[in-house]
Amino acid sequence: PAWRSRLLSSRWVRREPPASEFFCNVCNKDLKRRERYEEHLAEDHVPCSEPGCKFSGPEHVMGYHRLKHTKAADGTSIVDSPEEQLKWLAARRACFPSAGNLKRKADGNARRYQSGALPEDDRPKPGLFEKMIRQTAFVDAGGKGCGKGKGKGKFDKGKGKGKDKGK
């Protein structure tokens, strides 16, 4: 019909403009001019410290990029190692809340409760790849936490404003 062609005309359909030649794939930023692109690379990107590697990116991306340079027991990258990937998948499947896993966990907890035993962590041991990812993302940091805003601080002073706060 004629009304459909009017609805789908170019002025009603919103099209995404094509990415410019100064697009940063790592940061997913479209920079319109060469000067801004070079400024972005100089200010926001850190080059990889591995010899022969030309990758650069923001600091939070470099933590994950360094995993490519970490070698497994067979000498391959842990990111590309099939046994590390299988260990990672097994750990993820064991923790996924599927019906079978929930039933198995509930049965195990009931047996332990009846026998008077302490609850047991029956997850498979994480592989090197998962340990490195957790280390990079500070998931298993332990302690009071790492970073700003965790706990009361070094001298056990409370947060906020008011009398004797933060001095």
Side-chain angles (χ1 to χ4, degrees):
W3 59 269
R4 183 176 291 176
S5 64
R6 272 186 261 132
L7 272 178
L8 298 177
S9 69
S10 62
R11 79 176 187 193
W12 295 105
V13 177
R14 186 174 184 171
R15 293 191 179 121
E16 196 67 31
S20 70
E21 61 181 299
F22 307 114
F23 185 80
C24 179
N25 290 317
V26 178
C27 302
N28 199 22
K29 287 186 177 180
D30 192 6
L31 303 144
K32 303 294 182 198
R33 297 184 319 245
R34 177 183 298 278
E35 303 87 47
R36 182 64 191 112
Y37 179 72
E38 289 170 358
E39 183 181 312
H40 166 74
L41 291 179
E43 289 179 3
D44 299 340
H45 284 228
V46 177
C48 181
S49 59
E50 191 73 21
C53 183
K54 296 182 190 308
F55 183 81
S56 73
E59 191 62 43
H60 68 277
V61 174
M62 291 307 292
Y64 294 102
H65 171 74
R66 285 186 202 107
L67 292 175
K68 285 194 164 281
H69 300 302
T70 306
K71 304 295 180 198
D74 61 355
T76 61
S77 172
I78 61 168
V79 177
D80 301 328
S81 173
E83 55 271 355
E84 287 295 332
Q85 290 175 357
L86 289 174
K87 282 183 189 176
W88 181 77
L89 278 173
R92 299 290 294 170
R93 284 188 183 125
C95 296
F96 189 78
S98 65
N101 283 346
L102 291 174
K103 183 175 180 349
R104 181 179 45 83
K105 196 170 198 175
D107 291 345
N109 285 340
R111 273 187 266 121
R112 279 192 285 282
Y113 180 74
Q114 286 181 349
S115 66
L118 293 173
E120 190 175 303
D121 189 16
D122 55 351
R123 288 188 240 170
K125 299 269 187 227
L128 179 65
F129 181 54
E130 185 163 355
K131 284 181 189 174
M132 296 293 289
I133 288 177
R134 288 174 177 269
Q135 211 173 38
T136 302
F138 303 113
V139 174
D140 286 342
K144 285 175 79 173
C146 58
K148 299 190 309 189
K150 308 269 180 159
K152 288 189 173 184
K154 188 174 181 181
F155 300 107
D156 206 27
K157 293 178 183 170
K159 295 181 180 179
K161 295 182 180 178
K163 190 174 183 179
D164 298 328
K165 295 283 186 177
K167 292 183 180 178

